[in-house]
Amino acid sequence: MRTFLILFTALFIISVSVSGQEATSSSGKKAQSKTRNHGMKDEKEDPNPFPLKKFEYGLNFGAYFANKYAANFYNGTPGNVNNVDYVMKNQNPPTWYREIQQLLGLSQTDSVGVQSDRYGNGYPTNMHYSVAFSGGLFMRINFNRKNSIFLQANYAQLKAGDAIILQVNPNNTYLSFPDLRSEQVIGREGRVMIDLGYQRSFPLKSRINLFIQAGLTMCYTQVIKSIFVVEGKEYSMVNIYGSQGYQQGYNQQTMTVNQNAFGFGGYLGVGAGIPLTAAFGLEPGFFAHYYPTNLEHYPDFKPSFGLYLRILIHFGATDDE
């Protein structure tokens, strides 16, 4: 994230500097022309000398800050479709449970479970996503210098992780303090976000083009991984064995479990277009999404945010204004 922000700032400063130098050079040429023509009136010039292209294409690179609401889908609570009980209560035979006892250095007579007593609840209830890199494609159709429509598709792979507290021999009351072990629950998911909307631009004399965007968003969310990790060993909380559970040493039939969802909402963004040449430009910007991921038991609309740097290619016929 720090590297991205440094690169983002450096490119922005360089782009503004290049634009300023070209604008200064253009002003000098105008002054020379006035001197040669002994005060003759110049024809009115377009503040942006680059011809407007009807079609523009770009590559988006940025950082995505997903709302933490849906991250609790991966916290392993019994109310979630993927839960720790699926692993800990695998009792037919209790293969995973015995493995966990061994990993924790316990004997078969020791019991272990998620903490749930006067000392607290062992499940994390405030999970969040790490900042994720996002990238994608962009297309814009310009009607004139102020009005456009755009279509873009971006992908981000998100990770959520937190600690879950296990308690050894939770029914023993003779211990002064509980024997607690901290382990991890981790989730990974991919999101494809497609935005279709309208752009209103505000061209400046400096040739920088400020704009605002608004539109509709469709988000496709795919669960990649939902795991419970004990001393480095991963246990998937996605039930691919159905009601039979996992049984070691048996050639069991597994099910294909696709945990995905679609959510529809809105998009709002602001940015600045910085033309570097007639065919190439940069667009740094900020945006907000408002949509539901619609993962099971997580249906609410929540806002997410992003920063981007777009590498823009001007292509196609010139639009005669």
Side-chain angles (χ1 to χ4, degrees):
M1 178 58 185
R2 182 179 300 175
T3 302
F4 169 77
L5 290 176
I6 292 173
L7 178 61
F8 181 91
T9 304
L11 287 174
F12 181 84
I13 293 172
I14 292 171
S15 301
V16 173
S17 176
V18 170
S19 298
Q21 290 174 3
E22 292 184 356
T24 301
S25 176
S26 177
S27 298
K29 290 179 179 178
K30 289 180 183 179
Q32 293 175 6
S33 176
K34 287 181 180 180
T35 301
R36 286 195 302 267
N37 293 327
H38 303 287
M40 293 179 63
K41 186 176 180 180
D42 293 332
E43 294 183 1
K44 186 177 179 182
E45 296 185 12
D46 190 334
N48 191 333
F50 295 146
L52 179 69
K53 297 294 185 178
K54 191 73 174 179
F55 300 100
E56 294 177 307
Y57 302 91
L59 297 175
N60 297 332
F61 302 94
Y64 197 65
F65 304 83
N67 191 279
K68 67 179 182 179
Y69 167 69
N72 281 328
F73 177 85
Y74 303 99
N75 69 4
T77 59
N80 282 339
V81 61
N82 303 332
N83 56 75
V84 171
D85 282 351
Y86 168 66
V87 177
M88 296 290 288
K89 295 183 178 181
N90 177 45
Q91 300 285 342
N92 187 30
T95 306
W96 289 337
Y97 182 80
R98 288 179 181 172
E99 282 184 355
I100 291 170
Q101 286 176 313
Q102 294 171 359
L103 290 168
L104 295 174
L106 307 177
S107 68
Q108 291 190 17
T109 59
D110 290 316
S111 60
V112 61
V114 179
Q115 181 190 19
S116 181
D117 58 16
R118 70 180 187 275
Y119 294 100
N121 182 355
Y123 291 105
T125 57
N126 192 31
M127 290 183 67
H128 62 275
Y129 294 104
S130 301
V131 179
F133 172 80
S134 66
L137 303 175
F138 176 86
M139 184 185 74
R140 180 164 56 217
I141 301 175
N142 298 309
F143 300 113
N144 49 52
R145 290 200 185 275
K146 293 185 177 181
N147 298 283
S148 312
I149 59 173
F150 68 91
L151 175 67
Q152 64 179 350
N154 293 293
Y155 176 80
Q157 188 171 124
L158 308 178
K159 178 182 178 181
D162 210 330
I164 192 168
I165 308 301
L166 300 180
Q167 184 171 350
V168 178
N169 296 324
N171 296 324
N172 287 348
T173 59
Y174 63 86
L175 296 175
S176 299
F177 298 98
D179 182 0
L180 304 179
R181 312 291 178 90
S182 177
E183 303 298 340
Q184 285 187 302
V185 281
I186 297 173
R188 290 186 182 274
E189 69 182 47
R191 292 190 191 179
V192 176
M193 295 153 287
I194 300 176
D195 307 308
L196 173 64
Y198 165 77
Q199 175 176 312
R200 177 68 175 181
S201 301
F202 305 91
L204 303 179
K205 291 183 178 180
S206 64
R207 289 168 39 194
I208 293 176
N209 182 46
L210 303 181
F211 60 82
I212 59 174
Q213 297 174 326
L216 301 176
T217 293
M218 183 197 76
C219 176
Y220 171 74
T221 302
Q222 172 70 54
V223 176
I224 299 173
K225 180 183 289 189
S226 180
I227 59 174
F228 174 40
V229 184
V230 180
E231 299 300 305
K233 183 174 176 59
E234 297 183 359
Y235 295 90
S236 175
M237 294 187 290
V238 180
N239 185 358
I240 61 173
Y241 298 103
S243 59
Q244 62 184 329
Y246 170 70
Q247 300 182 46
Q248 189 176 34
Y250 291 85
N251 186 18
Q252 294 178 260
Q253 183 176 0
T254 60
M255 301 179 295
T256 300
V257 179
N258 293 317
Q259 295 180 336
N260 48 41
F262 288 91
F264 296 88
Y267 172 94
L268 185 64
V270 295
I274 306 171
L276 301 181
T277 70
F280 174 77
L282 297 177
E283 290 187 351
F286 169 83
F287 66 89
H289 277 138
Y290 189 66
Y291 60 81
T293 60
N294 280 333
L295 293 174
E296 191 167 346
H297 303 313
Y298 294 89
D300 293 352
F301 281 76
K302 296 292 179 180
S304 297
F305 305 93
L307 295 170
Y308 66 85
L309 178 65
R310 179 177 299 126
I311 301 174
L312 198 65
I313 300 173
H314 309 286
F315 181 77
T318 301
D319 185 45
D320 296 324
E321 296 184 90

